[in-house]
Amino acid sequence: RSTLSSSSAASDVYKRQYQRRVRGHGMSLYDKYPVDLVLVRHGESEGNLAQSLSKKGDDSLWTEEFKNKHTSKYRLTDKGRLQAKIAGEWIRQNIAKQFDRYYTSEYTRAMETSGLLGYNDGEWFVEFRLREQDMGVLGSKSTLERKKELASELERRKRDWFYYQPHGGESIANCCLRVDRFLNEIRQSCTGLRVITVCHGNILTACRIRLENMKQETFMMMKKDPMQRTYNCHILHYTRRDPLTGRVSAVFEWLRSICPWDLSRSTNEWQRIQTSTWDNKNLLESVSKIPRIHNNKPEEFAKWKAGIEKKKAKDEKDETKN
C-alpha cells in the first residue's frame, strides 16, 4: 500500500511518472480519460461454481446439457446475484449514486450483474469487446477434464501465462488489444465523465495491464499475490482526481481495489499508480534472471570477434587515408 506523501522529492518523482504516462498513452492534455472509471467483475456464475467443485474433484455439475451450453450463456448463481446487489450498494455508498455512462459485456452473467447493481435509471451500452477471454479448446471443459485430456495445453500455459494462447482461443496479450480499443473509445467519448463497466476477470486484468502500463514481470508478480486477485463482483476504481487535494490530472493516477462482500480479501485503500521506464541496467538485470540454454562455441565466437575487429581496423585505416 502506498502512502500519500507530499514531500518535494516524491512530488518530482510523480511528476516525471505522470509526464511519461501521458506520452506512453499517446494523448495530449485535451484527450483524456473519464475522471472516474469503475470496473466490476460479474458475480459468481454457473461456470464459476462448476469449476470450483471440479477443482475439489467433483464433476457432478458437468452434465452433457451444461457442457453444451456456450460459456457466454452462463447465468449467475443465487450467491452471484447477492454479490451483485452487495457490490451495487457499496458503489452507491462509496463512489456514486449515478454514472454518466454505463457499459457491460454482452455475456449473460455480466448483463445479469449489471441489472442487479441497482442503477434503475442507468442506460447500459452492451459492448462485445468486453467479453471474457476466449479459452479455445479449454472452454466448456472442467478442471478434471483439462488435466486428463489437455495436459500439454496446461503445460504450455505454465510456461507463460501472459502470452499463452490456447488452441482456438486468445492470450491475455490478445485481450489487451481489444481492451485498448475500448479504452480509446471512452477516452474520446467520455472525457471528464464518470463511467462504470461490468465485465470479466481476465478483462479486468487486461485493463490493469494497459491502464497501469504494466510489464509482464509485474503481471506475473501480481498473479501470485492473493491480495491482487479479482474475485466475483470485485471492484476496481480508477480516478484522475487526487483523493487528498482534488486535483484532476490527464491520466489515471489513483486506484483502489475492493471485494465488497469480504473486505479482508482486498486492499481497499487508494494506491498511487506508479509506472516507470527502464534504463540499460534495469533491462539487463531483468533478462539476467532468465538462464541461457544455448550459446556460441567459444572458438567460433573468438574467430567471429577477431574478424569484426580486423574489419573495423581496416575501415578506420581507409578512412584516415581519405
Side-chain angles (χ1 to χ4, degrees):
R1 300 179 185 177
S2 60
T3 57
L4 309 186
S5 172
S6 59
S7 69
S8 59
S11 177
D12 289 342
V13 171
Y14 290 134
K15 182 178 180 180
R16 290 194 296 272
Q17 291 178 343
Y18 167 81
Q19 292 169 340
R20 283 195 294 263
R21 292 183 66 223
V22 170
R23 291 196 300 270
H25 282 277
M27 64 177 71
S28 72
L29 293 178
Y30 302 97
D31 182 14
K32 308 181 186 75
Y33 281 115
V35 171
D36 289 285
L37 174 62
V38 177
L39 304 173
V40 185
R41 187 187 175 192
H42 62 79
E44 182 189 70
S45 69
E46 297 173 280
N48 295 143
L49 177 61
Q51 286 292 15
S52 67
L53 291 177
S54 183
K55 289 175 182 177
K56 299 174 183 177
D58 179 3
D59 263 2
S60 60
L61 298 185
W62 289 89
T63 61
E64 284 304 311
E65 180 184 14
F66 185 67
K67 289 180 182 179
N68 290 329
K69 187 175 190 178
H70 192 271
T71 58
S72 66
K73 304 299 183 185
Y74 288 163
R75 289 286 308 276
L76 297 185
T77 63
D78 285 345
K79 179 179 176 180
R81 290 174 65 86
L82 180 57
Q83 288 172 334
K85 293 175 182 177
I86 293 172
E89 183 179 0
W90 194 96
I91 295 169
R92 289 194 303 277
Q93 290 180 356
N94 296 277
I95 302 178
K97 292 187 174 6
Q98 63 182 22
F99 287 84
D100 301 301
R101 190 70 63 88
Y102 301 80
Y103 288 99
T104 180
S105 158
E106 69 173 359
Y107 278 18
T108 300
R109 55 192 182 273
M111 292 195 294
E112 189 170 4
T113 299
S114 302
L116 291 169
L117 291 179
Y119 286 98
N120 298 326
D121 296 326
E123 296 183 358
W124 292 87
F125 288 81
V126 178
E127 176 55 71
F128 80 97
R129 287 174 295 187
L130 295 173
R131 69 190 182 278
E132 180 60 300
Q133 176 187 9
D134 187 338
M135 296 306 295
V137 294
L138 297 178
S140 297
K141 287 187 179 293
S142 72
T143 298
L144 291 177
E145 287 177 317
R146 291 174 181 178
K147 290 179 179 179
K148 181 179 179 181
E149 302 172 15
L150 298 165
S152 61
E153 281 288 325
L154 300 183
E155 283 300 316
R156 282 205 308 125
R157 184 169 66 177
K158 285 180 183 178
R159 294 176 201 164
D160 194 314
W161 279 82
F162 183 73
Y163 291 114
Y164 163 73
Q165 182 174 347
H167 288 293
E170 296 177 293
S171 64
I172 294 293
N174 292 145
C175 292
C176 287
L177 298 179
R178 56 181 167 92
V179 160
D180 262 349
R181 293 193 287 273
F182 171 72
L183 293 176
N184 284 334
E185 178 178 309
I186 64 172
R187 199 176 77 194
Q188 295 169 12
S189 63
C190 300
T191 297
L193 302 184
R194 183 176 281 150
V195 176
I196 187 170
T197 300
V198 179
C199 51
H200 307 267
N202 289 333
I203 300 306
L204 260 65
T205 297
C207 286
R208 288 203 63 177
I209 291 168
R210 298 306 296 132
L211 291 173
E212 300 172 43
N213 194 26
M214 193 179 293
K215 302 294 187 293
Q216 184 188 3
E217 186 176 2
T218 308
F219 163 77
M220 293 306 298
M221 290 173 61
M222 181 181 75
K223 190 167 183 61
K224 296 174 183 177
D225 185 351
M227 295 303 287
Q228 296 294 335
R229 282 188 60 184
T230 50
Y231 297 91
N232 290 117
C233 276
H234 204 99
I235 300 163
L236 296 177
H237 179 194
Y238 286 91
T239 187
R240 295 198 284 120
R241 191 185 305 278
D242 189 313
L244 281 184
T245 67
R247 179 185 67 87
V248 176
S249 63
V251 294
F252 292 122
E253 287 199 6
W254 298 91
L255 165 68
R256 54 178 170 171
S257 173
I258 302 101
C259 178
W261 47 270
D262 186 352
L263 296 177
S264 68
R265 295 172 181 256
S266 51
T267 55
N268 309 316
E269 298 179 2
W270 286 111
Q271 302 174 8
R272 192 151 197 169
I273 298 171
Q274 299 188 34
T275 62
S276 62
T277 53
W278 290 20
D279 59 22
N280 293 344
K281 181 181 178 182
N282 296 144
L283 292 173
L284 295 176
E285 284 179 350
S286 178
V287 301
S288 68
K289 298 173 184 176
I290 303 173
R292 280 193 300 196
I293 297 176
H294 300 296
N295 197 4
N296 310 107
K297 293 180 179 179
E299 62 275 14
E300 291 179 353
F301 174 70
K303 182 179 180 180
W304 178 85
K305 182 181 178 183
I308 292 293
E309 292 173 345
K310 183 178 180 180
K311 185 178 184 303
K312 180 181 178 182
K314 181 179 182 300
D315 291 343
E316 289 174 350
K317 185 177 180 180
D318 292 342
E319 186 176 345
T320 303
K321 288 181 180 180
N322 295 333

